[in-house]
Amino acid sequence: MTVIAITGSTGHVGRRVADQLADLSPTLVVRDTAKAPRIEGSPVVVTDYTEASNSVHALEGVDVLFMVSAAESKFRRVQHRTFIEAAAAAGVSHIVYTSFFGADPDAVFTLGRDHADAEATIRASGMHFTLLRDNFYSDLLPYFADDSGVIRGPAGDGRVAAVARADVADVAAVILRDPVPHAGVTYELTGPEALTLDDVAARAGAVIGRTLSYAPETVDEAYASRAHYGAEQWQLDAWVSTYTAIADGQTDRVTDHVERVSGHRARSIEDALLPHR
């Protein structure tokens, strides 16, 4: 039997993937066993993306690995490389990685550059791979709003074809069950339509029961309005470039890849948010 390992099973995407594959008893790779979901027959192994030797040991015997990208960090590229190289050293045959829609060394969204680096490491690893380039998550966009319900940023009139996290999980689960047909393929996962942030505010606000609005900023204003958080420069750049990527047209293209792989139409922003009612 093919051994599947799932990282990020304590998070939204990884947990949904693990639940959908429960009949296959996937190995759950976690940092804290206390937070691991309880799936009958599924072994739990502990490691961290920064721990090369522990990761090799944890992944020994694994055939197919679902790797959810690491949390935002200035050390993220090193973490990704360490874990990907450990997977290859452990003998993993196929890796499925959650990347970003605009992954490129020169991506406008600065964290998209981190994903490009991870993709390059995967391609050089010798493992078979499938890349899931996720657009921004539709079910998280309304929570960009501040305490007064305003989403502020330099997105202009740009549009975002945001994807539901549930759709990402559904696609991943299908691929993990039968990875061979998806080897070497990059899927660009989007929602069914491209929305302006005015659209996001109006439609998401109606679902979550909160009055939301969008207030355009200049790039300088965006940095100034976030200065009080005391965040490091890389984090500020990531926050601001979320919006400039939308303004630049980097996120507005709609694909049919969710439907093509999962067999169902991509969820609308309303569908994505309904569980949060």
Side-chain angles (χ1 to χ4, degrees), residues 45-48 51-60 83 86:
V45 296
V46 178
T47 193
D48 186 279
E51 300 172 349
S53 59
N54 284 351
S55 294
V56 171
H57 179 70
L59 297 175
E60 286 176 349
F83 192 69

Side-chain angles (χ1 to χ4, degrees), residues 34-49:
K35 296 180 180 179
R38 299 293 182 257
I39 298 177
E40 186 176 355
S42 283
V44 177
V45 296
V46 178
T47 193
D48 186 279
Y49 284 0

Side-chain angles (χ1 to χ4, degrees), residues 193 195 199 202-204 206-207 267-275:
E193 57 191 326
L195 305 175
D199 296 331
R203 291 173 57 175
V207 176
R267 290 168 171 84
S268 67
I269 192 168
E270 288 85 358
D271 292 335
L273 288 165
L274 281 172

Side-chain angles (χ1 to χ4, degrees), residues 34-82:
K35 296 180 180 179
R38 299 293 182 257
I39 298 177
E40 186 176 355
S42 283
V44 177
V45 296
V46 178
T47 193
D48 186 279
Y49 284 0
T50 62
E51 300 172 349
S53 59
N54 284 351
S55 294
V56 171
H57 179 70
L59 297 175
E60 286 176 349
V62 170
D63 301 301
V64 183
L65 171 66
F66 180 53
M67 180 181 174
V68 176
S69 56
E72 297 175 8
S73 159
K74 65 181 178 181
F75 306 111
R76 198 184 200 190
R77 294 190 189 189
V78 173
Q79 292 172 338
H80 284 163
R81 291 176 197 163
T82 299

